Amino acid sequence: QVPMVESGGDSVQAGGSLRLSCTIPRFNVGVDCMGWFRQNPDKEREGVAAFDSDGTTSYADSVKGRFAISKDRAKNSLILQMNSLQPEDSGMYYCAVKACHIRGLPPQWGATGQGTQVTVSQ
């Protein structure tokens, strides 16, 4: 069983919105520290948003004010609402766990899924 399953990726035009969802059968979204990162073949992995154990959220500067991370406790899911999307937001998006003792966006992530592709065109 995979640790988590991401969904919701799609192709949209600049200015559009997407809602990514991550089901987490092997973890507890209410307890574990987790977040989202994105990856492009020609770029380094970039942390996008994350929850700390006390519920504090952190965002990459490039997405602040446009993206929002949240939890759906009833479905044990992690959500990433993305608004005002830009071409530079394109990439494969992954949800993942992170070490709780590292606050904010971590340099490394733990268990993750297979990702969901987001493509934003002009």
Side-chain angles (χ1 to χ4, degrees), residues 59-113:
Y59 296 93
D61 288 342
S62 59
V63 307
K64 283 180 181 177
R66 301 187 297 121
F67 289 14
I69 189 172
S70 62
K71 300 176 182 179
D72 185 336
R73 296 175 186 272
K75 297 181 180 179
N76 199 38
S77 297
L78 192 67
I79 307 298
L80 184 67
Q81 178 66 43
M82 307 188 296
N83 300 323
S84 302
L85 283 162
Q86 300 300 317
E88 52 266 34
D89 294 317
S90 297
M92 188 70 81
Y93 282 69
Y94 301 84
C95 69
V97 293
K98 74 180 190 82
C100 286
H101 69 275
I102 299 176
R103 296 191 63 81
L105 299 175
Q108 292 181 331
W109 298 83
T112 185

Side-chain angles (χ1 to χ4, degrees), residues 6-118:
E6 301 91 341
S7 64
D10 205 346
S11 296
V12 297
Q13 290 189 329
S17 298
L18 285 174
R19 184 176 184 269
L20 305 185
S21 180
C22 176
T23 57
I24 318 170
R26 287 174 51 186
F27 296 92
N28 185 336
V29 72
V31 176
D32 291 299
C33 301
M34 48 188 60
W36 294 88
F37 67 87
R38 60 191 180 192
Q39 179 83 64
N40 276 304
D42 57 346
K43 294 183 180 179
E44 292 185 358
R45 179 179 292 184
E46 179 186 16
V48 175
F51 270 109
D52 286 317
S53 57
D54 60 359
T56 301
T57 55
S58 298
Y59 296 93
D61 288 342
S62 59
V63 307
K64 283 180 181 177
R66 301 187 297 121
F67 289 14
I69 189 172
S70 62
K71 300 176 182 179
D72 185 336
R73 296 175 186 272
K75 297 181 180 179
N76 199 38
S77 297
L78 192 67
I79 307 298
L80 184 67
Q81 178 66 43
M82 307 188 296
N83 300 323
S84 302
L85 283 162
Q86 300 300 317
E88 52 266 34
D89 294 317
S90 297
M92 188 70 81
Y93 282 69
Y94 301 84
C95 69
V97 293
K98 74 180 190 82
C100 286
H101 69 275
I102 299 176
R103 296 191 63 81
L105 299 175
Q108 292 181 331
W109 298 83
T112 185
Q114 295 185 340
T116 186
Q117 179 68 41
V118 172

